[in-house]
Amino acid sequence: MGNQLQDMPKAPWRMHTLFLVECRDYFDWQTVGLMHSLRKRGQPGSVTRLLSCTDRDMRVYKGRDLAPTLDVPSLSKHPVTGDWYPAINKPAGVVHWLNHSDDAKNVDWVVILDADMIMRRPITPWDVGAEKGKPVSASYGYLVRCDNELVKIHTSHPEFCDKVGGFIVMHIDDLRAMAPLWLSQTEEVRADKDHWARKYTGDIYSSGWISEMYGYSFGAAEVGLRHKINDHLMIYPGYILAPGKEPSVLHYGLRFNVSSWNFDKAEHLNNGIVHQCNKLFPPPPYPEQVETMTKKEGVHRALLLSIECMNTLNEGLVLHHAQRDGMHLHSLHSLLVSLSYDCDLLLYV
């Protein structure tokens, strides 16, 4: 296998991409998909997977070779209250990386992604307009406005609060200032059970699960960061694009459908597909089939992006199995044909 998907291009500024996962099958297949898309699309700079695992999980974990990895302590279980909240590991992992990684000492810009993302083109600060003091992110519409009781309790600068998330492009100096507050504010909001209700947070389950998202917004507000919000860089598969816009990131956090075919990441919590020889997700319809499904241009494009997202995930799995299980090119081709799978994968093998 060639090195076309292994070498990241150099950047005019020093860049690093981070994403956090746990020791679970659920995150392993997401890691394979994200890493494949980062390589395929040429994301500049280095990448680090922040791996948050308990000691028990680590003893049986099989996915250490899936990405360049830094082990970070698991804070899923609060040491005092016993509260189980794995989402706090995201800010905790970033803080650990800042304090313990040599990479963090030699970087200008950091891109923070979620594992359930597929990159369609590189995200760089010079392309998206990020500046020191002005990180770039996407609007998170289900967070309620930053002028309610919650924000007044948990930050002294509600005027700086932005309801953002998904991806972050931030200068390293801003991240160093903000990350400890991201962690402490997350812990504070999570502990504030009196304000978990939907009217305060937008959480339809009133479970406090999105405390980490508010922790980020409040932490950034405390250090005076104002985000440039770009609503066209990221889209959920199945959503309709704004006319003339091309997203850089597909965030498959929600169920999406193409005719009778569908994909929902929540249905694959324990899917060991990464560790089973030659296994792929059921493929979506061919792109050509979309022509018979709709005449509406926006819906047509949304369906094609959904197919692209799934095909990219499966591409990553095929290449992963080829590398780990020693498959040859003709075996890869046979596997794709047997699944009626249509992609440009063989250009990269």
Side-chain angles (χ1 to χ4, degrees):
M1 187 181 300
N3 292 324
Q4 294 97 319
L5 296 184
Q6 299 177 9
D7 298 328
M8 301 292 188
K10 292 185 178 181
W13 289 299
R14 299 174 300 175
M15 280 186 57
H16 206 96
T17 300
L18 299 174
F19 66 101
L20 182 123
V21 301
E22 300 167 46
C23 288
R24 293 167 52 194
D25 291 340
Y26 174 68
F27 288 108
D28 283 356
W29 60 259
Q30 292 179 31
T31 294
V32 168
L34 176 57
M35 288 300 301
H36 169 61
S37 68
L38 288 167
R39 290 165 175 153
K40 181 176 180 179
R41 301 307 180 190
Q43 176 70 7
S46 300
V47 178
T48 297
R49 175 183 63 160
L50 304 175
L51 184 63
S52 175
C53 305
T54 64
D55 292 340
R56 179 179 179 181
D57 289 337
M58 187 64 78
R59 285 195 291 269
V60 297
Y61 183 57
K62 298 180 291 185
R64 292 201 59 83
D65 62 338
L66 298 178
T69 297
L70 176 68
D71 293 338
V72 299
S74 174
L75 297 184
S76 295
K77 185 176 182 179
H78 194 281
V80 177
T81 66
D83 178 43
W84 184 258
Y85 184 57
I88 201 171
N89 288 315
K90 187 173 183 180
V94 171
V95 169
H96 186 87
W97 177 79
L98 288 169
N99 291 336
H100 298 282
S101 172
D102 289 338
D103 291 325
K105 302 173 184 176
N106 298 286
V107 66
D108 303 305
W109 291 93
V110 178
V111 178
I112 302 176
L113 303 174
D114 289 340
D116 59 341
M117 289 180 170
I118 293 294
M119 301 293 292
R120 301 185 69 242
R121 54 177 50 84
I123 288 185
T124 62
W126 50 95
D127 283 334
V128 302
E131 303 175 54
K132 189 173 181 179
K134 297 180 180 179
V136 170
S137 191
S139 174
Y140 255 4
Y142 56 80
L143 301 181
V144 296
R145 294 174 60 192
C146 281
D147 59 0
N148 60 13
E149 187 173 348
L150 188 70
V151 70
K152 293 175 183 177
I153 293 172
H154 294 289
T155 176
S156 56
H157 294 286
E159 71 276 13
F160 291 142
C161 179
D162 297 319
K163 54 176 189 176
V164 293
F167 68 90
I168 305 163
V169 184
M170 183 177 287
H171 193 275
I172 187 66
D173 292 345
D174 295 332
L175 186 62
R176 287 193 179 280
M178 185 277 296
L181 290 170
W182 181 6
L183 176 57
S184 62
Q185 292 289 86
T186 296
E187 186 174 21
E188 184 178 312
V189 174
R190 176 67 182 176
D192 184 7
K193 294 184 178 182
D194 291 339
H195 293 91
W196 281 7
R198 183 174 185 175
K199 65 179 179 179
Y200 299 118
T201 66
D203 180 358
I204 61 174
Y205 302 109
S206 298
S207 64
W209 192 255
I210 59 177
S211 299
E212 174 270 318
M213 299 177 189
Y214 279 106
Y216 174 84
S217 293
F218 296 166
E222 285 297 290
V223 295
L225 298 180
R226 296 310 307 265
H227 292 78
K228 294 183 177 182
I229 301 175
N230 190 316
D231 286 331
H232 305 299
L233 281 175
M234 183 185 78
I235 194 169
Y236 289 88
Y239 280 35
I240 305 297
L241 280 170
K245 301 297 182 180
E246 281 290 336
S248 296
V249 180
L250 301 177
H251 189 184
Y252 56 93
L254 305 173
R255 180 188 182 96
F256 57 98
N257 308 273
V258 182
S259 187
S260 60
W261 175 95
N262 64 77
F263 184 79
D264 186 339
K265 69 170 188 174
E267 296 176 353
H268 299 278
L269 298 178
N270 298 306
N271 192 331
I273 196 169
V274 167
H275 308 293
Q276 300 170 10
C277 293
N278 304 349
K279 296 294 184 180
L280 303 181
F281 290 113
Y286 283 110
E288 292 79 2
Q289 293 175 270
V290 171
E291 302 295 335
T292 65
M293 297 176 188
T294 180
K295 299 298 182 182
K296 296 181 179 180
E297 183 177 349
V299 176
H300 181 272
R301 183 69 180 124
L303 293 174
L304 289 177
L305 285 174
S306 295
I307 292 172
E308 179 184 330
C309 180
M310 199 68 238
N311 281 355
T312 305
L313 273 171
N314 272 340
E315 283 180 10
L317 286 168
V318 170
L319 288 172
H320 165 75
H321 290 312
Q323 185 176 41
R324 176 174 285 188
D325 305 326
M327 291 174 62
H328 296 293
L329 184 58
H330 73 273
S331 300
L332 291 175
H333 184 268
S334 297
L335 178 59
L336 295 174
V337 170
S338 70
L339 291 170
S340 299
Y341 187 77
D342 184 22
C343 66
D344 59 350
L345 170 67
L346 299 184
L347 295 176
Y348 299 94
V349 179

